[in-house]
Amino acid sequence: MKYLSILGSTGSIGTQTLEIVRQFPDEFKVVGLTSNKNSELLLKQIKEFRPKAAAIMDKGKVDSLLNFSSCQIYSGTEGLNRIAELSEADTVVNSLVGSAGIEPTYNAIRSKKNIALANKETLVAAGSVIMEEIKKNNARLMPIDSEHSAIFQCLNGEKIKEVNNITLTCSGGPFKNYTEQQMQNVTVQEALNHPTWNMGSKITIDSATLMNKGFEVVEAHWLYDAGYEKIKIVIHPQSIVHSLVEFADKSVIAQLGFPDMKIPIQYALSYPKRLMSLGKSLDLAKIKMLEFKEPDFGMFPCLKYAYEAGAAGGTLPAVMNAANEAAVYSFLGNKIRFLDIQRLIRKMMDGHNLIKNPSLKDILDTDRKTKEETSRIIEEELTVNNQGF
Ligand code: MN3
């Protein structure tokens, strides 16, 4: 039996994780849950899964959760960290969105928890610090992402020094066939309409700019100790081949499956076991065609930025991540246009004074300052534009 704390239990990954728990009551028990502000769903989850403790980030909503005797209720960032460190949990599922996921992951590792990580920003912004803690505490870090789950499975029992390269597949997002002209006028609704995956709004925008794939490159570097020159990307619109690894002998191992997040979530939780899935089986004859092509680094410069930030290391990936986060929410709020996201990331990366071996505090400070500065620039540009430029 594994005892789970689920950070972000009311989001897309969180609710799918709970579906798996519901399906395997003899394998998993929920002991902690957290939500950002969805107190209604969190309350339902508390009633169904009977955790020891739960936390809501929005302190104004804590009252609606009280008077539930068997479950301790916390709130705010402090509450989130309580759930991450909960003594009853052996595994923390981190499905938080954005850099808010960094500290709880760090705290959970230091409390000797195994981590099932869906929060990309943790490894992108703080990979060096997180991996050091993983080693020190002898914790297990399992990826909840179709690509990294695939690579993990391809590398199982293999030696990283016998790997020639790792190829991450990428659906290409909704704008893979757009011209630059079309890209300039992309609406929020179009960007939220992902062709193969149904996800939260932040990661869906990241998938449209391909920043998401850039993040996955940086994550793959940390998770598998692979140099950036060994990590490649191929566009694969059907999202059936989830990633592949080429070995020294030119043998290539890939992992395939329907694009269903429950497969990587379940594997991250059940590893080293495999549990029966109720999903449908992959029938390649029915799929008929799998396509692959090179990514367009010119049309999707966020891919280049990720390689550049990753290779530079230090605080640069945290800057890229924070600028992106601030810009994506401004785009979702109709304050900037789609292509402004990549422009703002570039601008913030160019203006950064790199800290080479950052502490967690350096990373969190860089994150906060970059978000503030990006938001300030956005507001300034809005004011200028509204004055008739
Ligand atoms: Mn992915």
Side-chain angles (χ1 to χ4, degrees), residues 370-383:
T370 306
K371 282 182 188 167
E372 283 168 7
E373 179 64 7
T374 310
S375 300
R376 195 191 60 73
I377 292 170
I378 290 168
E379 292 303 326
E380 204 175 87
E381 289 179 352
L382 265 178
T383 312

Side-chain angles (χ1 to χ4, degrees), residues 120 145-148 169 197 199 203 212-213 216 261:
K120 299 182 183 234
D145 197 344
S146 58
E147 295 82 357
H148 300 103
T169 55
W197 296 99
M199 310 170 287
I203 186 172
N212 177 62
K213 203 54 51 182
E216 290 179 0
M261 277 312 290

